Amino acid sequence: MEKILEIKDLHVTFTTYGGTVQAVRGVNLHLNKGETLAIVGESGCGKSVTSNAVMRLIPSPPGKISKGTIHFKGQNLTEFSEKKMRMIRGVDISMIFQDPMTALNPTLTIGTQLMEGLRKHKNVSASEAKKKAIEMMELVGIPNPEERLKQYPHQFSGGMRQRMVIAMAIICDPELLIADEPTTALDVTIQAQILELFGEIQKKTGVSIILITHDLGVVAKIAHRIAVMYAGKIIETGTKRDVFYNPQHPYTKGLLNSVPRLDERGKLQPIDGTPPDLFSPPKGCPFTARCPYAMEVCDKVYPEQSVLSDSHQVNCWLQDKRAKHILAESASKSF
C-alpha cells in the first residue's frame, strides 16, 4: 500500500528550568493512504506531542524536534519553513484538537470560522465558500445549515460543536486528518455518533486518519492499525486483531486488562506503579519498573524490535529466544 506519512527516529524535547524533558524518543511510524492508525497510551506518553510534531506545532522555545524526519507524500516536513508549513496546514494536513468547547472562537459566527480557511487557502468567492460550508455541515449531520451558519458556538451543544470542528478540519479536502482525543468530554451516545461520522467521511473522501486516544473502545470501533506508545516510545504495533487478540507487550496486556468487559465479572486490574521520569528516562525498557516479568537485561538495554508477522511488531525482551521460559510463564498467567 502507498504510504502517505512516514516518521523515522523522531525525537522531541522541551527545555525547562528543571532540565530537558525527552517527550518523544525515537518514534517510527507510517500511515497508509486511506487508513486509520490509532496511537494509544496513558496520558503523558507522547501521543499529542507526536501529532503536533507532524503539524510542526511544537512551540519553540521551549520545544524542538531534535532529531528524525517526518515525510508527508515524500516531502520532509522537518525541513519546511513556517511559511511553507502554513500552506500545508488545513489544506493537505488538518487537525482536530482535543476540546471542541475551546477550539471555536466565541466571538465569531460558525459560518465565519468555517469559511475562513477555505477563503484563505482556496481563493474562492464568498458565495462559493458558503455553498461549500453548507455541504460540509450537511456531511457532518448539522440540521438547518443555512440558519446555523449565522449562529455562535454557545448556541451549539457539545456534540454539535465537535461536528463543527470536524467540518472545519475537512472543508479544504485534506489528505491527512489528525484527530486528537476527538470524543473527550462527550457522552457515550454522542461518542458513537462521532465515530460513525469518521467512518462515513473516510468512505466518501478517502482521507487518511491518525487517531490519538487512550480509549480502547474508540480504537476498536474505527482503527485499522494500532500503535501502542509508552514513555515517548512506540512499543507495539499491529492490526486491530493483532493487538486485541494477540498482545505481546506486558504494557499492552495491562491496558487491555484495565478496560471493563461485559463478558467478564470481577475487579479491574490496574497497572501498578507510575511512568518513568522523562527528565532522565531509563536506558532500557521504560516499562521495567512496572512489569511483573522484568529481567535484569530489561533495565539495562532497550530491546530491539521483534517482527512477529508482516503487520505485528513489538519491542520486548520476552520475545528473545533466551527468554522462552519466562514467555511461557507469561502466557499461562493473566497479567
Side-chain angles (χ1 to χ4, degrees):
M1 295 182 70
E2 181 185 350
K3 294 180 182 178
I4 192 170
L5 180 74
E6 189 167 17
I7 301 172
K8 292 184 178 180
D9 195 28
L10 179 67
H11 290 72
V12 181
T13 59
F14 292 87
T15 302
T16 71
Y17 289 111
T20 301
V21 179
Q22 299 180 43
V24 173
R25 306 184 295 135
V27 162
N28 292 284
L29 280 176
H30 74 272
L31 176 68
N32 297 317
K33 197 165 185 178
E35 178 185 50
T36 297
L37 170 69
I39 304 177
V40 303
E42 294 171 306
S43 296
C45 70
K47 306 185 300 295
S48 294
V49 174
T50 300
S51 64
N52 285 333
V54 173
M55 292 288 286
R56 291 285 306 280
L57 292 176
I58 302 295
S60 177
K64 68 175 181 177
I65 297 174
S66 55
K67 187 180 178 184
T69 58
I70 303 168
H71 283 90
F72 173 69
K73 295 173 61 178
Q75 302 178 90
N76 186 3
L77 299 184
T78 60
E79 297 177 348
F80 278 23
S81 64
E82 178 60 23
K83 183 179 179 181
K84 200 168 182 181
M85 278 305 304
R86 288 199 192 104
M87 299 170 65
I88 297 286
R89 296 188 195 114
V91 183
D92 297 308
I93 308 175
S94 280
M95 189 167 185
I96 300 169
F97 294 96
Q98 285 193 24
D99 188 359
M101 305 299 178
T102 58
L104 297 169
N105 189 327
T107 66
L108 299 176
T109 65
I110 287 295
T112 299
Q113 297 182 65
L114 187 54
M115 292 184 283
E116 181 183 16
L118 195 63
R119 296 290 305 276
K120 179 178 177 62
H121 294 294
K122 297 293 186 178
N123 194 27
V124 298
S125 66
S127 60
E128 289 174 317
K130 183 178 179 180
K131 182 180 178 182
K132 180 72 171 179
I134 291 172
E135 288 177 5
M136 287 298 102
M137 291 180 77
E138 289 174 344
L139 178 62
V140 300
I142 303 284
N144 304 317
E146 286 197 58
E147 289 300 316
R148 307 221 73 173
L149 275 176
K150 306 169 189 175
Q151 295 181 337
Y152 290 84
H154 72 270
Q155 296 174 279
F156 286 70
S157 66
M160 286 297 179
R161 289 189 211 186
Q162 185 66 77
R163 290 173 186 268
M164 285 309 310
V165 170
I166 294 171
M168 289 172 63
I170 63 174
I171 196 167
C172 290
D173 301 315
E175 295 186 62
L176 171 59
L177 179 63
I178 301 173
D180 191 354
E181 302 278 7
T183 57
T184 298
L186 301 177
D187 63 58
V188 291
T189 305
I190 304 301
Q191 280 187 20
Q193 293 174 4
I194 296 299
L195 295 178
E196 287 178 8
L197 176 60
F198 275 114
E200 291 170 10
I201 290 171
Q202 193 169 52
K203 285 180 183 178
K204 290 178 180 178
T205 66
V207 65
S208 304
I209 299 173
I210 294 179
L211 176 66
I212 311 293
T213 185
H214 61 269
D215 188 337
L216 291 172
V218 170
V219 170
K221 181 75 175 177
I222 65 170
H224 298 111
R225 284 191 305 118
I226 300 170
V228 181
M229 195 166 190
Y230 185 75
K233 287 182 173 289
I234 300 295
I235 58 172
E236 185 166 4
T237 56
T239 64
K240 186 162 54 178
R241 179 168 292 275
D242 290 332
V243 173
F244 276 92
Y245 293 102
N246 187 31
Q248 292 300 305
H249 199 286
Y251 177 66
T252 308
K253 295 177 183 178
L255 285 179
L256 293 170
N257 285 333
S258 64
V259 176
R261 295 178 53 166
L262 294 176
D263 59 342
E264 291 183 3
R265 292 185 177 182
K267 294 182 178 180
L268 294 179
Q269 302 177 41
I271 304 174
D272 293 330
T274 57
D277 181 3
L278 293 184
F279 280 107
S280 181
K283 294 180 180 179
C285 175
F287 192 61
T288 302
R290 306 173 73 183
C291 181
Y293 309 109
M295 300 172 285
E296 186 177 346
V297 67
C298 298
D299 191 42
K300 297 179 180 178
V301 182
Y302 187 75
E304 294 184 1
Q305 187 179 80
S306 297
V307 179
L308 307 178
S309 69
D310 290 342
S311 60
H312 196 183
Q313 299 85 36
V314 64
N315 293 78
C316 181
W317 279 112
L318 290 175
Q319 302 303 318
D320 191 285
K321 61 183 180 181
R322 292 166 291 184
K324 282 185 177 179
H325 64 288
I326 296 178
L327 190 59
E329 181 185 348
S330 66
S332 63
K333 295 180 178 181
S334 61
F335 188 86

